[in-house]
Amino acid sequence: MADDTERAASLLRQARRVCVLTGAGVSAESGVPTFRASDGLWEGHRIQDVAHPDGWAKNPQLVWDFYHARRAKAGSVSPNPGHDALAELEKRFDSFTLATQNVDGLHQRAGSRAVLELHGSLRRTRCTGCIDVTDQGLDPLPAMPTCVMCGAVVRPDIVWFGEMLDERVLKEAGRAAATSDVFLVVGTSAVVFPAAGLVALAARGGAKVVEFNLTRTDASEFADVGLYGPSGQTLPAVLAAL
Ligand code: BJW
Ligand code: ZN
């Protein structure tokens, strides 16, 4: 592990352009459940009931109840040393992009600035009747919130299965991945596309890939270095070795 920490630090020392992809694992040590663990976020819910447009069409109140709980959780937790290390790392590079699949806002709260939210944000709602998108913060919302502009029901501004990611955000993440010298893939099972495809894109573009996870994942085949342990420890260790 110490050798791998040094190898990761050495790759970063030689890098000019750094891109990072994070997933739920980076927030696990803050107390936010991941998705695909046995006690994870989907437990008690069928994915298609709460994170799919069909679930919304069938039972919007069930979907909102799921997201009210997620919003309350996000508001009650704090960034952990993994988030802090990534925010600090950003200051060391002229070109640094953090693409996150997370919707909890913890990277921004840790001080990360160049954050691309691939799957949306728990803070925002999107109107189902007009074009309004509003940052609502994380304070409690009415059970079935409505739009101040047109009165229609609003939905969480989250990318559900079968929905397109924001084209501009995805393009920017793709460009950052493809042109990076070092690509860090942190706390994601790397099974959800197109986000997971950023790892292969980076590797094909010549980036050295460093994986931070508890276990090997679908991204591991692309990894030049793997740091397998809690990212709240492994990320600060690499930062300290820089
Ligand atoms: C730690 C740790 C610690 C724990 N330290 N590590 C084939 C190819 C391409 C696409 C598809 C395909 N087949 C189907 C698709 C479509 C689909 C998809 O990818 N499905 C796959 C499951 C196969 N993709 C989509 O639908 C996307 N849209 C799209 O493709 O549009 C075009 C299209 C339209 C129509 C048809 C086909 C294509 C949209 C995907 C949106 C995903 N949204 C979600 C739900 C958001 C809900 C919400 O947050 O409220 O986003 S799914 C869920 O998974 C969430 C996450 O962002 C995402 C990724 O999960 P993540 O972050 O990796 O979490 P986990 O739990 O899986 O992993 C945690 C990891 O952390 C583990 O590895 C742990 O070991 C680790 N860990 N503790 C370090 N302390
Ligand atoms: Zn509206």
Side-chain angles (χ1 to χ4, degrees):
M1 176 71 100
D3 281 359
D4 288 331
T5 301
E6 176 47 38
R7 285 175 66 208
S10 165
L11 291 175
L12 282 166
R13 267 184 235 116
Q14 297 163 53
R16 258 184 1 95
R17 302 176 68 85
V18 174
C19 182
V20 186
L21 172 68
T22 65
V26 78
S27 294
E29 289 155 81
S30 293
V32 182
T34 61
F35 289 91
R36 292 173 180 80
S38 57
D39 58 347
L41 261 168
W42 302 132
E43 200 190 39
H45 297 283
R46 294 190 326 143
I47 295 175
Q48 58 269 46
D49 287 342
V50 290
H52 193 286
D54 291 350
W56 172 257
K58 206 169 82 187
N59 190 348
Q61 192 60 67
L62 175 74
V63 174
W64 259 122
D65 289 347
F66 176 68
Y67 282 98
H68 288 319
R70 301 273 308 283
R71 286 167 46 81
K73 177 55 125 180
S76 72
V77 299
S78 302
N80 67 57
H83 298 107
D84 295 340
L86 288 171
E88 181 55 37
L89 201 60
E90 179 172 8
K91 299 181 190 152
R92 314 276 181 102
F93 295 92
D94 291 337
S95 170
F96 188 98
T97 304
L98 196 166
T100 186
Q101 299 168 85
N102 298 346
V103 294
D104 56 29
L106 287 174
H107 286 303
Q108 292 91 330
R109 284 173 55 195
S112 285
R113 298 173 70 90
V115 182
L116 297 173
E117 294 183 313
L118 296 168
H119 291 164
S121 168
L122 287 171
R123 295 176 60 97
R124 290 193 305 267
T125 55
R126 181 162 21 115
C127 182
T128 58
C130 74
I131 57 162
D132 188 60
V133 174
T134 298
D135 187 334
Q136 308 271 11
L138 290 172
D139 288 341
L141 291 171
M144 182 57 69
T146 51
C147 177
V148 288
M149 308 274 285
C150 76
V153 166
V154 297
R155 56 165 276 181
D157 190 23
I158 303 276
V159 183
W160 291 327
F161 281 111
E163 296 186 322
M164 303 301 266
L165 279 65
D166 182 298
E167 202 180 322
R168 186 194 60 79
V169 170
L170 183 60
K171 238 187 193 163
E172 211 175 310
R175 195 175 304 126
T179 59
S180 61
D181 303 316
V182 170
F183 186 88
L184 311 181
V185 51
V186 185
T188 176
S189 56
V191 295
V192 174
F193 286 82
L198 294 172
V199 188
L201 199 61
R204 273 205 305 274
K208 296 293 183 191
V209 175
V210 183
E211 177 169 53
F212 296 79
N213 204 301
L214 296 180
T215 60
R216 288 177 62 83
T217 69
D218 284 13
S220 304
E221 63 174 296
F222 300 101
D224 296 282
V225 181
L227 287 161
Y228 297 108
S231 55
Q233 296 174 23
T234 51
L235 282 167
V238 170
L239 183 70
L242 265 187

